[in-house]
Amino acid sequence: PGGGGWTFEDYEAGWRAAHLLGEEARPGGRLAAWYLRLPYALGAPLARAGVDPDLVTLAALWVALVAGWTATLGPGWAAAAGVLTLAAGIADSVDGAVAVLQRRTSVFGFVWDSTADRLADLAMIAGPVALVATRAGPGWAKAAVAAGTAAAGLLLLLEYVRARAQTAQVAAAWTLATPGERPTRVIVLGLTGLAVGAAQLGGDGLATAALDLGYPVALAVLALLEAAGCAQLFVAVRHTTSPLR
């Protein structure tokens, strides 16, 4: 937009319109509202440069894939995997900011972004599971596989339930921020990677305990949070009074 459309207020208004949110809706509360300034700060220069938002989505997906692959390289790489996981989470918000600021939101972009997010989610879970399954003891390896499978399955279920609820015009499907949302998954896996990596500096005993416990516990926590998110969405759908349109 020549001469305008680049301010944070313009971005926030466009973000609300893209997510079908009214002025009163505050998904995620003040924390989410504050966080919006980060993708805006990173996305505005890209938008001015005319970068295609779909390419930004592809770049964010590649960062997530590299994060998952890095985790498989060994416990010493866990910190790098954690940093890349957090970077992928931030990058995932930038493509939307670029699209909104350029006024290039589209059906293809919406579907492509959602598809890339799910691939990224699975990659960021698969990497840590592969690490523990190949480097930890048999018991912890099985725990990591079980927890990772549960976390992956429940995140897909959570996103599916939300998508179907949105199709059914359930308002809460757009505004309800559950405990198992993608930012939570990114933060938990990213910080766990940093913690496992930092434990390598504490000697063999601490390093082994961190590898055995860190990712399996984190993935189990994510599975529980995602299950809670599914339950919240089902309750919201159960109590909705709006007709299916």
Side-chain angles (χ1 to χ4, degrees), residues 41 54 61 89 139 168 171-172 180 195 197 210 219:
D54 294 333
L61 173 58
L219 291 168

Side-chain angles (χ1 to χ4, degrees), residues 1 12 24 29 33 42 44 47 50 53 68 94 99 107 141 145 148 153 158 176 189 193 217 229:
E12 188 176 30
E24 300 301 320
L42 297 174
V94 176
V107 173
V145 171
L158 174 60
L176 180 61
L189 290 174
V217 170

Side-chain angles (χ1 to χ4, degrees), residues 226-238:
E226 290 157 359
C230 289
Q232 276 189 286
L233 282 174
F234 272 119
V235 169
V237 172
R238 179 66 180 83

